Amino acid sequence: MTDAALIDGKARAAELRARVGAAVADLEERHGTVPGLAVVQLGDDPASSVYVNSKNRLAAECGIRSLGFHGSGDTGEAELLAEIDRLNGDDDVDGILVQLPLPDHIDAGRVLERIDPVKDVDGFHPVNVGLLVTGGEAPVPCTPLGCLLMLREQLGDMSGKTAVIVGRSNIVGKPMAALLTREHCTVTVAHSRTRDLPAVCRGADILVAAVGRPEMIRGDWIGPGATVIDVGINRIAAPERGPDRTRLVGDVAFDEARTVAGAITPVPGGVGPMTIACLLRNTLEAACRRRGRSMPEL
Ligand code: GUN
């Protein structure tokens, strides 16, 4: 029994951010402008605040200007839409990201549709979703893009491979399916109503877990040698570390899976850092497109 190779998302994300930073510096030197990213957050959900702070800090490290908007949790929908309109019209803003989830009184779909598709660095606007599915040029949602970049580096050509994605969310599962279809994989999107999910998972060369249930996918659900991408970030109680202590786990039972898989992403340090690096990459791409520059190969 051999241990799976670890796919080091943290290291790969640092490399990608360094390449984004170099391209941003080049854009500034040649054209005298830097990309601007507006992260919009309503309320103070602790997990969202951690993500937003990381996004702003890492954007600054890459030379990208942060132009965020942080409203209170009872900001009205009309006020939020007006803020989006303002950011759409602000020439210094290349990318707009509205941190999800939004408070219940706001229609997230209406807000995402209001973002100018050219500035939609999350790739959630219906126009960009359509372009992704039909094979057009469009920003690709950050988490699936991060997963794809790690898979490409690990596997090279994925043509003909069997890919199983567990989870059908708009943020991860559906765009991941479109991306892997584009890579010529045979793709199955499994979900809570899939019959015999363990058997479906066992047939995968590439298994992407994006369900948000801690350690749901067990070692014996994984085919020998499979490449496993764990998108889950779940905080669970860790009494072994002391009272009130917690730890992060993925959707895959890591210790079991690593004895069967060929390669696997850890949690933390796998998909998470790649998501933010891809956001910065998408912001650079939006800035290049808006200035009529070609996007460098990263
Ligand atoms: N909340 C959880 N994941 C994401 C994401 O990828 N983008 C945004 N905007 N919000 C999120």
Side-chain angles (χ1 to χ4, degrees):
M1 198 156 50
T2 54
D3 263 359
L6 271 192
I7 304 176
D8 188 346
K10 194 172 164 190
R12 289 175 186 190
E15 288 161 18
L16 178 55
R17 290 198 311 273
R19 294 195 293 274
V20 170
V24 168
D26 186 61
L27 196 66
E28 184 171 15
E29 198 177 299
R30 288 179 197 228
H31 307 289
T33 58
V34 296
L37 170 66
V39 177
V40 177
Q41 180 186 5
L42 293 194
D44 292 298
D45 172 61
S48 288
S49 293
V50 169
Y51 289 132
V52 169
N53 289 338
S54 296
K55 287 168 185 174
N56 287 331
R57 179 173 56 80
L58 294 170
E61 273 183 33
C62 288
I64 292 173
R65 196 175 347 166
S66 291
L67 305 137
F69 171 81
H70 191 169
S72 78
D74 53 20
T75 302
E77 186 173 303
E79 197 183 332
L80 177 58
L81 291 173
E83 181 59 26
I84 303 282
D85 289 342
R86 192 186 67 70
L87 295 168
N88 283 339
D90 184 340
D91 203 40
D92 289 335
V93 172
D94 294 292
I96 302 171
L97 176 144
V98 177
Q99 185 65 33
L100 302 176
L102 286 167
D104 287 344
H105 65 274
I106 289 183
D107 180 340
R110 202 176 297 154
V111 173
L112 296 178
E113 280 183 35
R114 193 70 159 244
I115 298 171
D116 180 344
V118 172
K119 296 190 176 187
D120 171 33
V121 283
D122 252 334
F124 292 163
H125 191 286
V127 164
N128 290 326
V129 175
L131 286 168
L132 176 65
V133 172
T134 54
E137 284 255 317
V140 173
C142 306
T143 299
L145 178 58
C147 296
L148 178 74
L149 296 179
M150 289 193 286
L151 283 168
R152 274 203 195 132
E153 202 172 321
Q154 195 65 33
L155 296 172
D157 182 17
M158 284 176 262
S159 177
K161 291 197 184 294
T162 298
V164 174
I165 299 155
V166 189
R168 54 178 158 178
S169 69
N170 291 340
I171 293 182
V172 183
K174 288 179 200 164
M176 194 74 236
L179 286 174
L180 290 173
T181 302
R182 242 161 64 166
E183 297 290 315
H184 312 292
C185 292
T186 303
V187 178
T188 299
V189 180
H191 47 77
S192 52
R193 299 195 192 182
T194 296
R195 250 181 294 139
D196 200 354
L197 183 58
V200 172
C201 292
R202 264 193 300 273
D205 301 314
I206 296 167
L207 182 63
V208 180
V211 264
R213 285 171 171 252
E215 300 177 319
M216 183 181 101
I217 293 175
R218 312 308 308 186
D220 63 358
W221 297 25
I222 292 168
T227 302
V228 179
I229 304 289
D230 190 351
V231 180
I233 301 178
N234 309 288
R235 191 165 284 284
I236 63 167
E240 73 282 3
R241 294 188 179 178
D244 301 327
R245 295 295 296 274
T246 60
R247 66 190 174 100
L248 291 179
V249 297
D251 292 347
V252 178
F254 182 82
D255 289 339
E256 295 174 18
R258 73 177 309 181
T259 65
V260 191
I264 186 167
T265 58
V267 176
V271 174
M274 282 299 285
T275 294
I276 298 186
C278 287
L279 168 67
L280 304 174
R281 184 211 163 278
N282 284 355
T283 304
L284 170 68
E285 188 172 45
C288 290
R289 188 171 299 163
R290 289 185 66 241
R291 290 163 177 73
R293 317 300 314 171
S294 56
M295 171 73 177
E297 276 293 324
L298 290 180

